[in-house]
Amino acid sequence: MPTFEYAPAPESSAIVDIRSSYGLFINGDFVDGRDGGFRKTVNPATEEVLAEVTEAGAEDVDAAVAAARAAFEGDWGRMRGADRAKYLYRLARIIQERARELAVLESLDNGKPIRESRDVDVPLVAAHFFYYAGWADKLAYAGLGTAPRPIGVAGQVIPWNFPLLMLAWKIAPALACGNTVVLKPAETTPLTALAFAEICRQAELPPGVVNIVTGAGETGRRLVEHPGIDKVAFTGSTEVGRAIAKAVAGTDKRLTLELGGKAANIVFDDAPLDQAVEGIVNGIFFNQGHVCCAGSRLLVQESILEPVLDRLKRRMALLRVGDPLDKNTDVGAINSAAQLERIRELSAAGEAEGADRWSAPCELPARGFWFAPTLFTGVSQAHRIAREEIFGPVLSVLTFRTPAEAVEKANNSPYGLSAGVWTEKGSRILAVADRLRAGVIWANTFNKFDPSSPFGGYKESGYGREGGRHGLEAYLAH
Ligand code: NDP
């Protein structure tokens, strides 16, 4: 059968207006940093500098926390839930109106394909604000006491893999519950958070309710350790999460941690194979595998290993890797040089420890940070690639013979964030899901998200839940 080449289908970047430099968003205004430091944010697909972003120092974090405190003790803290909801609805609608611009900006700064930023990230961002707007005047009916109160000022630190979506996961429930926030985006992906700051102004959100301080890990550390913060919410690596838990221990700050994962995606011999292969691909290659709940450990029943691998390799060879702004692109750029280095290092460890590496044949662009979709077979439980979070487009394939063995292997991880089960039998789904120690379990699908569904982990994947009614609990004193 003849195959046809795809014509380029680039999304125009003319819709975004990136300034050459950005200040901090404090008390409703963009202000200069007091320490005078800047960092550059680059497009990971081209290595071009997109903008200079202020690095918030100690005095800036003080100012942001003071603004959030004043707003909390002022009108926002006293506002009726129904009135707070109007602001959240307004934010959601403006996000929808500016959806294309936000999607392009996210793809430029993060490297993710426009297909994902346009069809997954940004619609989910708006959906989160709509969803939590609906809760703002119904908190007394959330099963968290009859008179739940906001906690106060939330310090929120987010990673670079879903920059705007993680912002929404943090800010929407905090505001719905009547808190104010100071949020620090990741150093490599600050631009959509700064665009959101403009949206807060457009929505006429009262000054100080949302403050955005950009900077590196040190700014994040200052924020979570600040004595004026009542609640810390963090998503990122287990290592930093551990440091934050130590810093918060012994204070009266509330803490939720959403950390790493090494999810098992379990395929039984009665699974519909073509669907399962799509689910495996979506599980690990969605967002370049920069996903805490990625299905990075494929557990295949031994009897179907060969047909699964054949189909999987055929499907992986069709993935289009390249320009994130091209609407045909499936796999975009790795977010940073540092992350690319980590993926390379762990992949090299996989080979050195004896696993077999296979990468999809694809031409990688000469500039930028790229890694071909890769799978490892002959992986044993002890290999680093089976234990550590690679956070890249790399799949480790293991086998099992019985359901008990599948569960044993799936649970043999310090993490417990998510898992997938592929089988035709409903009873098997329920029996296996019951025994998996994972916060989210998908059956015959993977990487499906909804604002009404709680998300969070067991063990070293963190504690607390985000999303759904459960997500309110982290932001309410009751
Ligand atoms: P980090 O955990 O370092 O980054 C997450 C956020 O925390 C960023 O905003 C970061 O700032 C900030 N931060 C860093 N140090 C501190 C600190 N001491 N106190 C407070 N905040 C801090 O993740 P990395 O970006 O370094 O990624 C490393 C690895 O972590 C990845 O390879 C991946 O395995 C894992 N990871 C997991 C994520 C998940 O969702 N589970 C998300 C991101 C990474 P800055 O960006 O400026 O350094």
Side-chain angles (χ1 to χ4, degrees):
M1 215 169 58
T3 54
F4 295 97
E5 267 308 300
Y6 283 80
E11 175 76 45
S12 167
S13 59
I15 195 165
V16 297
D17 181 15
I18 303 178
R19 289 189 236 149
S20 57
S21 90
Y22 287 86
L24 306 167
F25 186 64
I26 297 178
N27 207 25
D29 274 320
F30 281 97
V31 297
D32 292 339
R34 297 175 198 205
D35 286 9
F38 280 96
R39 277 179 177 265
K40 292 183 169 51
T41 182
V42 302
N43 177 344
T46 61
E47 298 178 55
E48 276 169 77
V49 173
L50 292 169
E52 264 190 350
V53 175
T54 301
E55 179 148 18
E59 283 184 46
D60 302 310
V61 173
D62 279 349
V65 173
R69 174 66 54 197
F72 179 68
E73 285 170 3
D75 290 348
W76 185 258
R78 289 191 287 272
M79 198 179 280
R80 290 182 327 134
D83 292 326
R84 286 199 307 274
K86 291 180 198 162
Y87 286 102
L88 286 154
Y89 280 122
R90 206 182 282 170
L91 289 168
R93 282 195 301 268
I94 299 173
I95 288 162
Q96 285 186 320
E97 281 163 20
R98 295 178 61 172
R100 185 156 295 238
E101 174 196 346
L102 292 170
V104 170
L105 191 59
E106 195 76 303
S107 284
L108 285 171
D109 204 20
N110 169 281
K112 66 175 69 201
I114 187 76
R115 226 158 43 87
E116 292 178 4
S117 51
R118 182 195 62 193
D119 298 347
V120 182
D121 295 51
V122 176
L124 277 173
V125 170
H128 262 82
F129 279 95
F130 277 120
Y131 175 79
Y132 279 108
W135 269 116
D137 62 348
K138 302 174 194 69
L139 299 174
Y141 308 99
L144 299 167
T146 51
R149 300 181 319 280
I151 294 173
V153 178
Q156 307 179 318
V157 178
I158 56 170
W160 42 263
N161 52 344
F162 293 92
L164 193 59
L165 185 57
M166 289 301 104
L167 174 150
W169 280 29
K170 298 276 180 287
I171 292 185
L175 265 45
C177 294
N179 303 275
T180 58
V181 307
V182 180
L183 176 132
K184 192 200 90 70
E187 132 191 27
T188 57
T189 53
L191 294 185
T192 45
L194 293 163
F196 180 78
E198 285 169 12
I199 289 173
C200 291
R201 283 168 65 103
Q202 203 180 335
E204 296 176 4
L205 191 70
V209 173
V210 168
N211 304 273
I212 311 271
V213 289
T214 46
E218 186 56 17
T219 305
R221 190 188 61 73
R222 286 201 170 103
L223 178 59
V224 301
E225 292 182 6
H226 198 286
I229 293 289
D230 302 306
K231 145 99 198 145
V232 175
F234 172 78
T235 298
S237 62
T238 296
E239 190 190 346
V240 173
R242 225 177 252 138
I244 291 175
K246 279 191 195 149
V248 165
T251 72
D252 60 359
K253 290 177 191 169
R254 299 257 298 262
L255 175 64
T256 40
L257 295 173
E258 203 269 271
L259 309 175
K262 192 74 190 175
N265 201 0
I266 306 170
V267 183
F268 285 99
D269 59 5
D270 62 347
L273 284 198
D274 288 330
Q275 270 167 267
V277 165
E278 285 307 310
I280 295 163
V281 166
N282 175 43
I284 185 63
F285 302 119
F286 170 63
N287 202 36
Q288 296 72 247
H290 301 329
V291 184
C292 46
C293 53
S296 53
R297 278 187 301 153
L298 176 63
L299 298 186
V300 187
Q301 194 147 14
E302 201 175 83
S303 53
I304 54 161
L305 179 64
E306 243 175 77
V308 168
L309 283 180
D310 284 350
R311 286 172 205 226
L312 184 56
K313 287 181 180 174
R314 242 183 293 144
R315 180 67 183 87
M316 283 171 64
L318 294 175
L319 290 173
R320 298 178 60 81
V321 184
D323 181 5
L325 285 187
D326 191 314
K327 288 169 223 161
N328 294 320
T329 293
D330 299 307
V331 179
I334 301 302
N335 179 250
S336 65
Q339 188 58 25
L340 179 58
E341 189 42 45
R342 181 174 161 78
I343 298 168
R344 285 185 175 148
E345 194 250 315
L346 273 165
S347 301
E351 280 180 291
E353 289 182 335
D356 296 315
R357 175 180 184 157
W358 181 87
S359 291
C362 58
E363 241 176 73
L364 299 179
R367 286 195 62 128
F369 314 128
W370 305 95
F371 198 90
T374 294
L375 66 80
F376 279 95
T377 48
V379 178
S380 87
Q381 296 263 77
H383 288 161
R384 282 182 69 196
I385 53 168
R387 291 183 288 117
E388 296 181 32
E389 187 176 45
I390 301 176
F391 226 61
V394 181
L395 180 66
S396 300
V397 185
L398 297 99
T399 57
F400 67 89
R401 288 184 183 163
T402 63
E405 187 187 348
V407 169
E408 186 80 22
K409 284 186 165 165
N411 287 340
N412 183 9
S413 164
Y415 296 113
L417 191 55
S418 65
V421 183
W422 295 83
T423 169
E424 195 184 55
K425 294 188 187 63
S427 55
R428 179 174 279 168
I429 291 170
L430 295 174
V432 171
D434 212 29
R435 290 154 64 203
L436 290 173
R437 291 290 289 163
V440 180
I441 298 168
W442 286 290
N444 293 330
T445 187
F446 210 93
N447 273 341
K448 284 270 183 283
F449 305 96
D450 189 278
S452 63
S453 177
F455 186 92
Y458 289 104
K459 302 192 274 186
E460 291 186 22
S461 293
Y463 41 79
R465 293 291 178 266
E466 294 187 302
R469 184 187 66 80
H470 301 71
L472 298 168
E473 195 167 356
Y475 291 98
L476 287 173
H478 51 88

